[in-house]
DNA sequence: ACCTGAACACCGTTCAAGT
DNA sequence: ACCTGAACACCGTTCAAGT
């Protein structure tokens, strides 16, 4: 429980305070989720009144931006000896892994503009890898958005129900089972496929779903590379 | 402007009232965005007190679910003579078109579970098309999620700044120009690619970006079909 | 069957004032 | 330089009470 006193000493330069704020925000996020992450509760956790936070941060949006960047600090760079495709796979999987590390992290990322140093660094890696693969400059950027957004939004969907039922003690399996029964109970003449595919619609294998989409995306990108050729500029 | 009086006559059966609520909610959404869509403002618009809404609807989440389904009513089914790939393209493009038709519609869809009749009907069409293409039952479901979520999340990203700057009179182009200058002003030694690709990172051609991703996804899916063969069951 | 009054337990943000 | 008191303008939701 260190850090409860916020700025113990030093000269209390604002950097330290922002850092403490973001750390506290991350802790609060893990305990209470996005829904519970309010400026007032964060202030309480820092032993301060809510109004004080606005000395360190313009508004809540700015705080969430800092928080998002902090979350991304844990993404590891892919090894240099990998192929471009392996590098991209690693990067996108790493993204998912890190987002699964904090409650509602994907929703924070999705709702926030990537301007912090960590996210910019990751963008550089992604863009550089795509340039190395031979995409045109325009396609590099489009592919980067596609892959980054895929990771973020997949995890956001995947964890949507993580918080909901935890309160009244229903496990993930119980929740999925309930949804499956809901699909199965639909009128079969109107929604025959939803009924018959209910088992797959509530497939608990999120890893498999993630890899399915990732492979499709990379196969699609690979095909573009083959078709369009290296139609673009040199890779500088 | 019909429907301003809510339930004029009939026997005021609850279906009518819910319909009027959802219509009013859609109007409020277009005027005020998700941020401005509150139960209290919606009640005001219906000439009623906020507490009354809870007679017709369990809570706000349920209302948003109904609203999401109403938004999806406008999605047209693809023509039957198209190939499976053309059908999927049409369906995903239609999805985007409809989501662009109401302010923050994509965010409503993204935050809501697809249980309404319109969304279920669209799911049937999507699943049926993928079955017709020859995917295994498991892959049908995975591909359906992939394509549906792509449309929703693409539009959510695409329209993220739609509302923000409108207040202090900055057009879309001005906003993009500001972001581009921000990237260009980054330290070139740390973020060389962000600086050099600033123009593409703020590309205003959303249609082009959307089609890039859609083509990649469909190419990727097509490849799976070729590779895995029709490994699954018959198409019943 | 449907609506209201009144309350409960919250929000983000501002700003003059304190130290 | 940093924090507080007090307020402003909101939220979603409940529930006894009205008609």
């Amino acid at each position: 429980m260190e850090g409860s006193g916020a700025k113990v000493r030093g000269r209390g330069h604002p950097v330290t305070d922002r850092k403490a704020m973001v750390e506290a925000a991350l802790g609060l996020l893990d305990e209470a989720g996005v829904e519970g992450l309010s400026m007032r509760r964060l202030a309480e956790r820092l032993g301060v009144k809510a109004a004080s936070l606005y000395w360190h941060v313009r508004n809540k949006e700015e705080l969430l931006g800092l928080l998002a960047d902090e979350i991304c600090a844990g993404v590891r760079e892919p090894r240099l000896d990998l192929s471009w495709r392996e590098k991209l796979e690693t990067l996108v999987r790493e993204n998912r892994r890190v987002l699964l590390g904090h409650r509602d992290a994907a929703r924070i990322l999705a709702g926030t503009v990537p301007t912090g140093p960590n996210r910019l660094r990751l963008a550089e890696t992604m863009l550089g890898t795509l340039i190395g693969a031979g995409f045109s400059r325009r396609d590099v950027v489009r592919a980067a958005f596609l892959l980054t957004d895929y990771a973020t939004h997949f995890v956001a969907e995947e964890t949507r129900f993580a918080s909901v039922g935890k309160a009244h003690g229903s496990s993930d399996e119980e929740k999925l089972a309930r949804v499956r029964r809901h699909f199965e109970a639909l009128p079969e003449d109107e929604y025959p496929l939803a009924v018959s595919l209910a088992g797959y619609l509530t497939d608990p294998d999120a890893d498999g779903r993630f890899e399915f989409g990732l492979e499709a995306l990379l196969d699609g990108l690979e095909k573009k590379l083959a078709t369009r050729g290296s139609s673009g500029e040199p890779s500088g």
Side-chain angles (χ1 to χ4, degrees), chain A:
Chain A
M1 295 289 159
E2 99 292 322
S4 70
K7 77 224 114 103
V8 185
R9 201 69 294 278
R11 320 212 324 287
H13 50 334
V15 180
T16 311
D17 293 316
R18 278 165 78 114
K19 213 182 159 195
M21 265 185 70
V22 172
E23 252 172 53
L26 195 54
L28 180 52
L29 181 69
D30 283 330
E31 283 175 23
V34 230
E35 235 80 303
L37 175 53
S38 73
M39 296 299 269
R40 296 171 109 108
R41 290 181 69 176
L42 175 59
E44 200 178 14
R45 188 174 252 257
L46 287 163
V48 102
K49 302 297 176 180
S52 312
L53 300 180
Y54 293 85
W55 177 263
H56 303 283
V57 111
R58 202 200 319 264
N59 50 32
K60 189 178 182 180
E61 198 186 331
E62 186 177 54
L63 172 71
L64 293 178
L66 297 170
L67 182 57
D69 205 63
E70 178 61 28
I71 289 166
C72 291
V75 178
R76 288 186 292 247
E77 305 273 337
R79 290 200 339 253
L80 292 170
D81 59 318
L82 298 176
S83 71
W84 67 265
R85 180 161 176 150
E86 290 167 326
K87 279 187 196 148
L88 293 178
E89 277 170 2
T90 310
L91 218 37
V92 178
R93 289 196 193 109
E94 266 291 288
N95 230 305
R96 172 161 177 256
R97 184 186 64 79
V98 159
L99 291 180
L100 287 173
H102 294 284
R103 164 121 88 122
D104 291 341
R107 283 170 73 181
I108 302 284
L109 270 279
T112 244
V113 194
T115 48
N118 288 317
R119 291 173 84 178
L120 283 175
R121 176 180 55 81
L122 291 171
E124 287 290 312
T125 305
M126 179 110 246
L127 295 168
T129 305
L130 288 160
I131 286 174
F135 287 98
S136 74
R137 289 159 59 85
R138 162 173 261 137
D139 285 357
V140 158
V141 171
R142 288 176 172 174
F145 278 128
L146 193 61
L147 293 171
T148 306
D149 289 348
Y150 175 65
T152 305
H153 293 133
F154 184 93
V155 178
E157 292 290 341
E158 163 182 26
T159 57
R160 165 175 290 174
F161 299 112
S163 17
V164 180
K166 206 162 240 170
H168 55 292
S170 53
S171 71
D172 282 11
E173 293 114 57
E174 289 174 86
K175 273 179 277 173
L176 276 180
R178 236 191 341 260
V179 177
R180 197 187 62 238
R181 281 194 297 273
H182 171 260
F183 281 126
E184 286 168 347
L186 250 26
E188 202 177 355
D189 52 331
E190 278 182 282
Y191 311 114
L193 300 177
V195 172
S196 111
L197 295 171
Y200 290 116
L201 286 167
T202 53
D203 186 359
D205 180 16
D207 288 359
R209 274 198 320 274
F210 182 74
E211 292 296 328
F212 178 90
L214 179 55
E215 190 178 62
L217 283 170
L218 289 172
D219 282 342
L221 291 177
E222 212 166 39
K223 173 153 189 217
K224 275 185 202 296
L225 211 51
T227 306
R228 306 195 177 191
S230 42
S231 69
E233 311 83 312
S235 60

